[in-house]
Amino acid sequence: DKTGATGETLKQGTLINLSLTTLSQVISGLSKAAGGADKSVIPFRNSKLTRLLQTSLGGNSKSALSVHLSPHRDNLDESISTLEFGKRAKMIKTIASALVQKTVEQLEAELEALQKEFDALKQLFEKRSGGKLPEGLFGSLEEEEKGDDGGENGTDNGV
């Protein structure tokens, strides 16, 4: 063992290495998916580290990765492994887009447009089916339109 770690330090080092191995598996899976290969399950949940990095690596963000090497001959294997890791990470393609926040008025306008589209489709369905729709076909939607007290369009006729 290069480090000479024992006891608790050895245990912590082992856990860190397991997390880094999982990170390497995640990076490998994401780079394969970016290259058009079969999209298998990416093991984000296999370690706390990859779970924390999930939104950065596979989500709506731009990420940067810096790899560091040792020039010492004794660390040649680790340096090569690190360079391969960096090469795989470089292949990951994420698409970052701005989160659009809508105002209440914009959401209400969207809802109204969707309600009109729904009503038009409902009428078209009724016309093509030769009459009234079967009871309960749009069950919960019709109940919401009437409101809890049975009034039209959710108005409160009792108070």
Side-chain angles (χ1 to χ4, degrees):
D1 186 57
K2 282 184 175 182
T3 64
T6 59
E8 191 65 29
T9 306
L10 179 61
K11 189 188 289 185
Q12 288 176 348
T14 302
L15 292 174
I16 290 169
N17 283 339
L18 285 173
S19 287
L20 291 174
T21 299
T22 304
L23 177 60
S24 182
Q25 292 169 349
V26 166
I27 295 292
S28 182
L30 289 170
S31 65
K32 286 178 185 174
D38 182 35
K39 290 187 177 184
S40 58
V41 176
I42 310 295
F44 285 112
R45 295 184 178 182
N46 291 358
S47 81
K48 289 181 182 180
L49 175 65
T50 53
R51 196 174 278 220
L52 286 170
L53 293 174
Q54 182 173 0
T55 55
S56 297
L57 295 172
N60 183 22
S61 64
K62 289 191 177 195
S63 302
L65 176 69
S66 175
V67 295
H68 300 270
L69 310 172
S70 170
H72 198 274
R73 181 178 301 248
D74 290 346
N75 297 325
L76 181 63
D77 289 340
E78 288 90 348
S79 294
I80 291 172
S81 175
T82 301
L83 287 171
E84 290 170 350
F85 174 81
K87 184 178 178 182
R88 285 192 310 271
K90 188 177 177 181
M91 293 172 53
I92 297 172
K93 303 291 181 216
T94 57
I95 301 170
S97 59
L99 178 63
V100 178
Q101 296 218 350
K102 297 181 180 181
T103 64
V104 172
E105 291 79 19
Q106 290 171 320
L107 292 171
E108 286 175 345
E110 251 182 72
L111 180 62
E112 187 176 328
L114 289 170
Q115 184 63 48
K116 286 179 182 177
E117 182 181 357
F118 172 78
D119 291 340
L121 289 171
K122 187 176 171 184
Q123 286 178 351
L124 180 64
F125 187 82
E126 287 176 347
K127 182 179 176 183
R128 289 193 178 171
S129 66
K132 194 79 174 136
L133 293 173
E135 281 295 314
L137 183 62
F138 295 102
S140 62
L141 294 173
E142 290 171 343
E143 291 169 13
E144 288 177 19
E145 286 179 9
K146 290 180 183 177
D148 293 336
D149 63 350
E152 288 294 316
N153 298 323
T155 57
D156 189 1
N157 297 331
V159 178

